[in-house]
Amino acid sequence: MSNQETISLSSNELYVFEDSTNLIPNINVISGSLDSLFKKVADNKFFSEKLNTNYWLRFRIKNTSNSIDWLFEFPDPHISEIHFFRVNELGIMDSVKTVGFSYPFSKKEFKHKNFVFKTYLPKDSIRTFYVLLNTKNYAGFTSYVREEISFTNYALTEYILLGFYYGVLIIMAIYNLFLYFNTKDRVYLYYVVYTLCCALNSFSEDGLGFQYIWPNYPIVNQFVSFFTPALLLTAFVFYSFSFLNLKHKATVYSNIIVGFYFLYLFVFIVERIVFDSQRIYQFIFVIPFLLIYLASFKIYFGGEKSARYFILAYTMIIISFIIYLFRVFDLVPHGFGLFAVYSFNIGFLIEVFILSIALGDRIRIERKLLDTLQQQALAQLIENESLKNKLIVELKEKEVIQEIVNKELESKVAIRTKDLQEKSEELSVFNSNLSKLIEDLNQMNIKLDIDNWQLKQKVQEEVKARLSDEELSTEKFKELFPDDTSCMRYLENIKWSNGFICKKCGHERYITHTSPFSRKCTSCKHVESVTADTLFHGIRIPMDKAFYIVYDTIRSGKSKTLEELSELLGLNKNTVWAFRKKIQATYELLKAKSKGALVRWDDLLNS
């Protein structure tokens, strides 16, 4: 080991052995009898590929420095179980207490958020270390050997920066919570929830939550690690939809985002709970964020200038993610270690700060709009006041004019009253004469009503006579029955000439139904159409044409041929033939019942 204060194990040879059975005793491994099964890690980079599997790491370290206070560190706090085997001060290989994500914080040798172990490396000594790792989460097994003073300085700086980070998040959350209580605008509440989810996610990622909030409840680590990504995505979707008004300003994007959001939740539940895997859903997790990012550009170019802050804040997150990828592939230049490790935290912090500015900008825009509306309202009030004063002046002028008019009217009324009294006397005489004339006129009206009734009877008899007349032309028939209504009314007078009798229950009282020319029994509620139980029941041709076919069919020896009727009425010949056949059958049946007597037109229509 050189005089560097910090050395990554990537600079040393690192060997790994996978115990897929999880049954090989520890003593068999640390004794060195299984060293031949260890394989050198390519590029000295190693990540867990299988969950709940024992991985053994073996490495040798030579201390060429003057310091003997070297510490071994695993910075990833998500490793579920770690057994660190070292040579103690007595030169005997022993094991440190079992620590990890699944064990209480008090089990750690150093009360630090990362997993830190003493190495006991005397000057110029070479020692071999074994580490047994088992994790329920995908984790990186990157590790460092640090000089103790260097580690202390590093840890102190790290905790100060993290304290500043969480302090800013809490201040932003409290500030916007007050804004929500003042404005009742849900976007501020969504922002508060999103900020708290960012803090919770960071608590899970950097291990401070395990150290300070739930140190004795390691099961909370699994719970928080399990649900935090889904909570973070949910909070961000709600906040984005509210801030950008995605549902109305980017409807297509909105529907696609919601679809991928529910797809993520489905795959997340199925993969984590059913298959106990963590591969597919992590890729789907990124898609809603990218879609929202694209939608923000569409809204910005659509004229919504407040979206520029949202785009800027989101860009910070993307930059921090790129830095994270550079760190994963060892592409970050030396000297940016701490910055690279907490790139996501820095990105979150900048994003939260910019989004807070965006909300302030939104308030400014809303206030500007409110001021404009208030100025317009004030101008309208001034105009209304001016109109009011003008109206008052006009009303006063009208009152003066009204007084003059009233005096003139009183004078004219007095003169008119005198004239009316004189006319009233003349009118009394006139009314007396008029009463006598009215009495004579009533007598004449009574006589006229009697004459009209007799005339109607004669007209009805004439109609029946003309229908029986063999010489009645088509034109004259159409004058008697010009449309369906006249036919239905005539059929109604025939069918219920002796009053209504319900065919179902025999009741005689009815009410008019909503269907034309139909009656509804008040007892059994049976509805009877005017065409029911007649020649016209169920026919599909107009009533006036059906009436004419009936008339033409019973004319003695002068009926038209089917072709003539079909052409005259504009009907299909088969339709005319079928209805005429029905008429003839009914006619013969009535003729048989009447024993050869003449079948009347009304009887045939009502059959």
Side-chain angles (χ1 to χ4, degrees):
M1 184 176 297
S2 65
N3 292 326
Q4 301 178 70
E5 294 180 343
T6 302
I7 296 180
S8 171
L9 281 185
S10 60
S11 64
N12 300 273
E13 291 186 350
L14 178 66
Y15 294 84
V16 63
F17 164 56
E18 178 184 331
D19 177 12
S20 57
T21 64
N22 294 350
L23 298 176
I24 297 178
N26 296 346
I27 189 64
N28 290 357
V29 178
I30 64 177
S31 66
S33 60
L34 299 179
D35 283 358
S36 60
L37 299 178
F38 282 79
K39 297 180 181 179
K40 190 176 186 303
V41 176
D43 298 326
N44 290 323
K45 297 175 183 177
F46 180 61
F47 297 88
S48 60
E49 297 180 355
K50 297 180 182 179
L51 302 180
N52 301 313
T53 299
N54 283 347
Y55 286 97
W56 283 90
L57 301 183
R58 177 173 61 84
F59 49 90
R60 292 167 61 85
I61 301 177
K62 180 179 180 180
N63 183 9
T64 59
S65 69
N66 294 321
S67 175
I68 63 172
D69 297 323
W70 291 90
L71 303 177
F72 187 87
E73 176 188 11
F74 282 104
D76 192 333
H78 296 92
I79 303 173
S80 301
E81 186 174 335
I82 302 176
H83 296 269
F84 186 74
F85 297 88
R86 67 191 173 195
V87 176
N88 61 22
E89 295 172 325
L90 302 177
I92 301 173
M93 180 71 73
D94 67 355
S95 170
V96 181
K97 293 180 180 179
T98 303
V99 296
F101 204 53
S102 301
Y103 292 85
F105 188 84
S106 58
K107 294 285 186 179
K108 290 187 176 183
E109 187 174 19
F110 281 83
K111 301 303 181 281
H112 187 268
K113 63 185 186 63
N114 298 340
F115 302 109
V116 183
F117 308 93
K118 289 184 177 181
T119 60
Y120 297 118
L121 277 174
K123 185 177 184 303
D124 296 326
S125 64
I126 300 175
R127 289 188 174 177
T128 301
F129 297 87
Y130 292 90
V131 183
L132 173 60
L133 304 169
N134 190 303
T135 181
K136 298 179 182 178
N137 309 284
Y138 289 108
F141 293 158
T142 303
S143 51
Y144 300 93
V145 178
R146 301 181 188 274
E147 204 277 327
E148 188 169 350
I149 296 177
S150 172
F151 173 79
T152 303
N153 294 333
Y154 167 83
L156 181 62
T157 303
E158 187 179 27
Y159 275 89
I160 291 174
L161 292 177
L162 286 174
F164 174 77
Y165 166 73
Y166 288 112
V168 171
L169 290 184
I170 293 173
I171 290 172
M172 290 296 180
I174 294 173
Y175 171 70
N176 284 275
L177 186 63
F178 278 113
L179 288 179
Y180 167 71
F181 288 134
N182 289 331
T183 63
K184 301 302 180 183
D185 190 344
R186 290 185 179 180
V187 68
Y188 299 105
L189 184 61
Y190 295 148
Y191 176 83
V192 171
V193 175
Y194 174 63
T195 304
L196 294 178
C197 287
C198 289
L200 185 62
N201 182 74
S202 298
F203 268 135
S204 174
E205 292 298 322
D206 58 33
L208 286 184
F210 186 31
Q211 181 175 358
Y212 292 110
I213 301 179
W214 56 85
N216 298 319
Y217 302 96
I219 191 173
V220 178
N221 287 328
Q222 295 294 338
F223 182 82
V224 173
S225 177
F226 187 90
F227 286 105
T228 296
L231 290 175
L232 182 64
L233 177 59
T234 301
F236 187 75
V237 167
F238 272 89
Y239 171 73
S240 302
F241 269 66
S242 180
F243 184 86
L244 297 174
N245 198 11
L246 282 172
K247 190 174 182 180
H248 297 95
K249 295 183 178 179
T251 306
V252 176
Y253 277 97
S254 170
N255 295 333
I256 297 174
I257 292 168
V258 171
F260 273 102
Y261 169 72
F262 283 107
L263 176 63
Y264 164 77
L265 293 182
F266 173 76
V267 175
F268 173 80
I269 293 173
V270 171
E271 192 174 20
R272 290 298 299 267
I273 297 178
V274 179
F275 297 105
D276 191 22
S277 177
Q278 301 179 31
R279 296 186 182 275
I280 300 176
Y281 79 90
Q282 292 179 342
F283 293 99
I284 303 177
F285 176 79
V286 181
I287 297 177
F289 286 95
L290 294 178
L291 289 172
I292 293 173
Y293 188 53
L294 294 176
S296 64
F297 277 98
K298 178 182 183 302
I299 293 172
Y300 173 74
F301 290 116
E304 189 66 35
K305 298 304 179 183
S306 60
R308 65 188 185 276
Y309 289 105
F310 188 91
I311 295 172
L312 179 61
Y314 214 157
T315 303
M316 295 298 103
I317 289 294
I318 294 176
I319 293 174
S320 65
F321 180 71
I322 294 173
I323 295 173
Y324 167 77
L325 293 179
F326 273 55
R327 179 171 64 87
V328 170
F329 293 102
D330 285 341
L331 299 177
V332 178
H334 292 291
F336 291 89
L338 190 61
F339 174 79
V341 168
Y342 291 104
S343 60
F344 261 134
N345 298 67
I346 296 171
F348 274 135
L349 189 64
I350 296 175
E351 181 202 30
V352 167
F353 179 72
I354 295 176
L355 288 178
S356 181
I357 295 176
L359 290 175
D361 184 63
R362 176 173 173 169
I363 295 176
R364 182 185 61 80
I365 293 174
E366 290 178 352
R367 285 181 177 176
K368 184 177 180 181
L369 178 60
L370 181 61
D371 290 341
T372 302
L373 293 175
Q374 288 177 344
Q375 290 176 1
Q376 292 176 353
L378 181 60
Q380 187 64 45
L381 287 174
I382 294 173
E383 183 180 354
N384 291 344
E385 185 68 20
S386 176
L387 291 174
K388 177 183 176 182
N389 295 333
K390 184 177 180 181
L391 181 61
I392 291 173
V393 173
E394 291 179 355
L395 287 174
K396 289 181 178 179
E397 292 177 354
K398 288 182 179 180
E399 288 178 358
V400 173
I401 296 173
Q402 187 67 39
E403 290 179 1
I404 297 173
V405 171
N406 288 339
K407 290 180 179 180
E408 292 179 357
L409 286 176
E410 288 176 359
S411 175
K412 291 180 178 180
V413 166
I415 297 172
R416 188 60 179 170
T417 301
K418 184 178 180 181
D419 293 339
L420 286 176
Q421 289 176 352
E422 293 176 355
K423 296 294 183 181
S424 177
E425 294 176 358
E426 295 177 0
L427 187 59
S428 297
V429 176
F430 177 78
N431 286 339
S432 177
N433 296 332
L434 183 60
S435 298
K436 185 176 181 182
L437 290 174
I438 290 173
E439 184 177 354
D440 294 340
L441 183 60
N442 288 336
Q443 293 297 325
M444 292 176 66
N445 286 337
I446 292 172
K447 184 177 181 182
L448 184 60
D449 288 341
I450 294 172
D451 292 342
N452 286 337
W453 179 81
Q454 292 175 350
L455 180 60
K456 287 182 181 179
Q457 294 297 321
K458 289 179 181 180
V459 170
Q460 291 180 358
E461 292 174 0
E462 182 181 354
V463 170
K464 294 178 181 179
R466 292 177 70 182
L467 287 172
S468 301
D469 186 3
E470 297 178 358
E471 301 299 327
L472 189 62
S473 66
T474 302
E475 290 73 14
K476 290 183 178 181
F477 186 87
K478 288 185 176 180
E479 289 178 3
L480 293 175
F481 301 104
D483 50 30
D484 287 0
T485 303
S486 59
C487 297
M488 298 283 272
R489 185 175 289 109
Y490 186 80
L491 184 60
E492 182 183 39
N493 292 333
I494 295 173
K495 182 171 183 176
W496 290 307
S497 60
N498 296 324
F500 172 81
I501 298 177
C502 180
K503 295 185 179 298
K504 189 173 182 181
C505 66
H507 195 65
E508 296 182 355
R509 300 190 65 180
Y510 70 92
I511 59 174
T512 303
H513 194 252
T514 55
S515 301
F517 303 103
S518 298
R519 298 184 178 183
K520 182 178 181 179
C521 176
T522 58
S523 177
C524 68
K525 310 302 180 184
H526 174 68
V527 178
E528 183 176 343
S529 171
V530 70
T531 60
D533 300 324
T534 68
L535 274 173
F536 310 100
H537 181 70
I539 65 173
R540 297 181 179 273
I541 57 178
M543 285 292 291
D544 58 336
K545 295 181 180 182
F547 260 50
Y548 186 79
I549 295 173
V550 174
Y551 170 70
D552 184 77
T553 301
I554 64 175
R555 292 171 66 183
S556 300
K558 292 187 178 183
S559 299
K560 290 179 173 57
T561 65
L562 290 176
E563 290 77 6
E564 291 173 337
L565 274 177
S566 175
E567 184 178 357
L568 176 65
L569 301 176
L571 299 174
N572 183 276
K573 186 168 69 174
N574 291 334
T575 303
V576 175
W577 174 81
F579 187 55
R580 174 176 273 187
K581 186 177 180 181
K582 180 179 179 181
I583 297 169
Q584 290 173 344
T586 305
Y587 181 81
E588 293 299 329
L589 181 62
L590 290 176
K591 191 173 180 181
K593 287 182 179 181
S594 62
K595 297 180 180 180
L598 181 64
V599 178
R600 296 188 307 160
W601 158 264
D602 290 358
D603 295 334
L604 182 60
L605 293 182
N606 195 28
S607 301

